[in-house]
Amino acid sequence: MAFNSVKKGEQLIGKILKIFFLLAIYGIIESLLHANPIIDFLANSSSKGIDADTILRYTADDDRGYRVQTIFYHAYSWGGCLVILASTYLYLVFNAKTTTLFYKYSLVFLIIFLNIFFTRSRSCFLPTMASIFALLWIMPRNKKKAIFISFLVMATVFSMAFSPKLLDSFKMYFTAKDDGSVKGSSSELRATQLASAVSTIKDKLITGNGFGSVRKLLHDSGSDTDLKGAESIWFVVLIDTGIIGIIAYLLFYINIIRSFIKEKKKALNKDISRGVSVIIVTIICHFTFISLTGEMNTFPFFMLYLGIASKYIFVKLREEKENALYNEYPDAGIPVISESAVL
């Protein structure tokens, strides 16, 4: 309801992107200082309105070193929101109208990418890399830009492949700083958590134990459970709602993607079609993120993204059809569709 025209929609999206860019600038400063004054202030605040569990403060004492989180609950929450927006920032790079804008947007994307990298999260980094390669296929008209970005990525990969020291440094960045062993969200830990989740609901595999069961289990068991810090949304969904919940959750994402594919087929030009493709890539990246590391308080922002994206595509298609109709019948006039009729 915040906008009902393409122009106002783009203004709203632009404001959101600018806010996150400013937060990313703060993230760069935070990574250089290895300190977060805002989080420190909130964590040490005497205000009773701030719950201790609202903020998970990461410092250089963490297993993997300092993790950037800006003003978010957790470094993964910050990274997860950037995963949702990364494709949009990169879309601006590919659609830059001038060389100056291309380099400007490239710098913006680089700063966003560095923030994702500084979270030290494979669950944030991998979906972002996937979105980069996906957009290289989606935006075929920008061959020079695609070749330029591909060259940078491939040069980085080859440099690591031919430099064991550089490759080890890269691997160490996402692992424990002391012995180099992979801690936290490893495949072994996920396998253990899956086995624990199944054993927890072995008598209620179909329906699960009910909403909030995981939270109660963690509260009652404390550290004495393999599910502490569950590394995937699916463990939580399985325990709370069983196989029925898993199927419903999958259908939720599948139907969202299907709805955007239908909108993509309605597009009369390639620009809108590619824009819808970017949204689909974003949905898949978010799905990958929550599958790898859990929801991490990113679901409300994801739903906000979907709402804005859906409305923007709706008004864009409506404007496109009105323009096509006007070009075909310039003397007929275009009927105005009221917002109340749309809603």
Side-chain angles (χ1 to χ4, degrees), residues 34 50 63 69-70 78 87 96 117 120 148 154 156 169 205 216 229 235 248 256 265 299 331:
H34 275 210
I50 300 177
D63 285 335
Q69 73 180 96
T70 66
W78 168 235
S87 297
F117 188 74
R120 293 178 178 264
F148 176 72
M154 294 305 296
T156 303
S169 298
L205 194 60
K216 185 177 185 303
F235 303 146
I256 290 174
K265 293 178 180 179
F299 193 72
D331 298 326

Side-chain angles (χ1 to χ4, degrees), residues 282-331:
T282 300
I283 296 169
I284 294 173
C285 286
H286 171 74
F287 181 84
T288 303
F289 169 78
I290 64 172
S291 296
L292 290 174
T293 200
E295 185 264 336
M296 295 306 299
N297 287 0
T298 60
F299 193 72
F301 183 73
F302 175 65
M303 293 303 294
L304 176 65
Y305 172 89
L306 282 183
I308 294 174
S310 301
K311 183 63 175 291
Y312 180 75
I313 293 300
F314 171 78
V315 295
K316 190 79 172 175
L317 288 172
R318 187 183 68 187
E319 183 180 276
E320 182 185 54
K321 291 175 182 178
E322 288 176 355
N323 291 336
L325 182 60
Y326 178 79
N327 291 332
E328 186 174 357
Y329 304 104
D331 298 326

